[in-house]
Amino acid sequence: MITPLVHLGVLEIHGQGGVTFLQGQTSAQVELADGQVAPLTAFCTPKGRMLATAQLLRVDAERLWLLMPSERIAPLQAHLAKFAPFYKVGIEARDDLALIGVMGDAALSLVEAETGLATPKPWQQATSSTLQVLRHPGPVPRLLLIDSQDAMSPRWARLAANAIPTGNAAWCLQDIRSGLAWVDDGQQDAYLPQMFNWEALGGISFKKGCYTGQEVVARAHFRGQVKKRLVHLQFDGDTPPPAGDAVNDAAGKRQGDVIAAEYDGEGHIELLAVLSTRELAEPLSVAGHPCTRIPLPYPLERLDPEALFADA
């Protein structure tokens, strides 16, 4: 399958001070983004709550890209612009770019044939001229391509000759199955990165220096103060519940919030929710419909990005 990733976009940081600038703003070890490694990252308030989540990639010596939900690009750009003049960097929303996703068992061979690039490992990138190829995790192989709109139009046509075009909900479902949640407008300034399991995905460096919110994020980790976690659920209802809906325990008490939900193509709905880590009376429910837990595809333990990419 191929899909236009209309829910995602790119925010560019350009200038010689880009690495130093982002190092003080984000949870990633920015120097890891070297043109091959493309780590996850989070931008936080001084209280450690996430303003935005992104994937960080280096395009060239003076350009870094943040791949992130489109709706959060303008707010993050405005936030970062307050500090950018001190580092002599520019911040630009790259509305001239097109993003497409390729998913399925033949995705790797299809993209290799189209681009001539060896497919990267998850959370890494491959580059050719203006094209960036990223690999995201999931139960089926999936690759994300970024290029200029002019270049992507014929590329889409060639890929579509050997793949089934579909809506981007299919990509979002794979995010859910990967236990990967992105902060949207309704969730900003509400959750610690650990509440989205960001440290289990290699999205938090506990070995770098200070960044905005770092003290709170580190304290929550080292003192075991993370009281909510992202979980994967199957929802026994007919319509995906909206983000922000309550997840209730068996006594009807609110224990968490829906983060994202999608149809699974087989008559069911899957969702991600942030839930209390306490032992809860089950079954859980959303809007009166029962929910069943689905195991996450990764352990809930710290994964340092420095270790994750040590062999990259």
Side-chain angles (χ1 to χ4, degrees):
M1 296 182 291
I2 59 171
T3 176
L5 300 176
V6 295
H7 66 299
L8 298 175
V10 171
L11 183 63
E12 178 177 291
I13 313 297
H14 53 262
Q16 293 183 350
V19 171
T20 304
F21 170 62
L22 286 181
Q23 186 75 353
Q25 295 292 331
T26 187
S27 66
Q29 184 67 267
V30 179
E31 291 182 351
L32 288 174
D34 60 0
Q36 178 180 350
V37 169
L40 287 173
T41 192
F43 293 84
C44 299
T45 69
K47 293 184 178 181
R49 266 50 183 181
M50 293 184 291
L51 292 171
T53 47
Q55 183 180 12
L56 174 65
L57 57 150
R58 177 175 290 282
V59 180
D60 57 39
E62 295 193 7
R63 285 191 298 158
L64 294 156
W65 283 359
L66 295 166
L67 171 70
M68 57 187 296
S70 299
E71 65 187 70
R72 294 304 302 156
I73 288 178
L76 183 62
Q77 182 178 8
H79 171 74
L80 294 178
K82 295 180 290 186
F83 312 102
F86 300 105
Y87 297 87
K88 298 181 180 179
V89 297
I91 307 173
E92 178 185 0
R94 292 296 306 270
D95 298 328
D96 58 316
L97 298 174
L99 294 76
I100 64 173
V102 185
M103 298 170 285
D105 293 337
L108 306 188
S109 60
L110 183 61
V111 171
E112 285 184 358
E114 165 62 25
T115 66
L117 295 170
T119 53
K121 297 178 181 178
W123 304 129
Q124 296 190 31
Q125 70 185 97
T127 304
S128 176
S129 185
T130 61
L131 173 67
Q132 302 291 332
V133 178
L134 306 172
R135 186 169 175 181
H136 284 196
V140 299
R142 56 179 182 150
L143 296 163
L144 187 152
L145 283 63
I146 309 174
D147 208 338
S148 68
Q149 293 183 10
D150 289 343
M152 196 65 87
S153 181
R155 193 183 303 281
W156 170 274
R158 291 191 295 270
L159 290 169
N162 296 287
I164 301 171
T166 187
N168 72 328
W171 184 273
C172 295
L173 174 64
Q174 296 305 315
D175 276 347
I176 289 173
R177 289 178 168 176
S178 301
L180 175 64
W182 303 90
V183 170
D184 66 17
D185 283 350
Q187 298 154 357
Q188 61 97 19
D189 199 13
Y191 300 100
L192 292 170
Q194 292 99 318
M195 294 177 182
F196 274 32
N197 299 346
W198 224 236
E199 88 282 27
L201 293 164
I204 304 173
S205 172
F206 292 97
K207 299 182 178 182
K208 64 176 286 185
C210 294
Y211 60 90
T212 302
Q214 178 265 341
E215 183 178 353
V216 176
V217 172
R219 186 188 307 122
H221 171 72
F222 289 110
R223 294 185 179 179
Q225 294 176 336
V226 180
K227 305 302 182 183
K228 296 180 180 179
R229 284 288 188 178
L230 192 75
V231 300
H232 184 189
L233 301 172
Q234 182 170 299
F235 172 71
D236 187 19
D238 297 325
T239 304
D245 264 17
V247 182
N248 299 316
D249 62 17
K253 183 177 179 180
R254 186 173 191 145
Q255 298 290 353
D257 307 288
V258 173
I259 300 299
E262 295 290 347
Y263 289 107
D264 70 355
E266 299 176 358
H268 303 290
I269 294 168
E270 296 181 32
L271 59 85
L272 293 175
V274 170
L275 283 185
S276 169
T277 57
R278 294 177 298 178
E279 185 174 350
L280 303 179
E282 301 197 18
L284 303 171
S285 65
V286 176
H289 299 282
C291 296
T292 305
R293 292 181 187 258
I294 302 174
L296 290 168
Y298 51 78
L300 281 179
E301 57 189 37
R302 171 177 158 181
L303 176 61
D304 290 327
E306 294 85 354
L308 176 61
F309 300 116
D311 299 327

